[in-house]
Amino acid sequence: MSEMTELIELTEVTHKLAILYACHDVGPWGVWDFVYEIVQNLASEQLPDEVLKNCMTIAYFSIIWDFACFMETDFLNDAPNILNGRDPTHLELLRTRVISFACILRAAIQSCPIQVLREE
């Protein structure tokens, strides 16, 4: 397979994942590590802008869905279900992800050479 075909496929896959993640929690699929590695190196990645933008969207929705899981209400007890059956270390992991992602986005806004990423 040529490199161009692989880039087109990667663009399509990340686009579909970004759309899917906007509506469904696909966190259990373990997509975070893949997209975070790409988002972490925005300025130096040699990927199409659309792939980088999609990875930023996927990372954003990953965090949003994790927050949603923590904020679900336990309707039987009428109280927040903070851990929602997850390991307590997951809350610390989410905290770390939010801080890291916010720092990356701040740096992208300040210095990323790709206009579409600064706008995103």
Side-chain angles (χ1 to χ4, degrees):
M1 211 183 284
S2 73
E3 186 175 318
M4 184 59 128
T5 304
E6 289 177 2
L7 288 176
I8 291 171
E9 286 181 6
L10 182 61
T11 303
E12 290 174 359
V13 167
T14 57
H15 180 72
K16 290 175 184 176
L17 266 176
I19 292 170
L20 181 66
Y21 230 146
C23 302
H24 302 282
D25 181 8
V26 293
W29 293 354
V31 179
W32 172 265
D33 293 332
F34 169 73
V35 297
Y36 182 73
E37 184 177 326
I38 292 172
V39 170
Q40 192 172 19
N41 301 306
L42 283 176
S44 63
E45 284 293 331
Q46 299 300 318
L47 295 170
D49 297 352
E50 191 67 25
V51 171
L52 299 174
K53 184 179 134 222
N54 291 336
C55 286
M56 287 173 59
T57 302
I58 293 166
Y60 167 78
F61 279 115
S62 175
I63 290 171
I64 295 299
W65 278 109
D66 279 350
F67 270 129
C69 288
F70 286 118
M71 300 309 293
E72 283 182 351
T73 303
D74 182 350
F75 292 107
L76 296 176
N77 298 327
D78 204 22
N81 185 0
I82 299 300
L83 293 178
N84 196 22
R86 295 179 188 236
D87 184 333
T89 58
H90 190 80
L91 185 58
E92 184 59 32
L93 177 64
L94 176 58
R95 180 181 176 277
T96 303
R97 285 180 177 178
V98 168
I99 291 169
S100 299
F101 190 59
C103 289
I104 289 168
L105 293 181
R106 181 179 42 195
I109 289 170
Q110 294 172 345
S111 64
C112 187
I114 304 167
Q115 180 66 28
V116 70
L117 297 181
R118 285 198 309 264
E119 291 172 3
E120 186 67 21

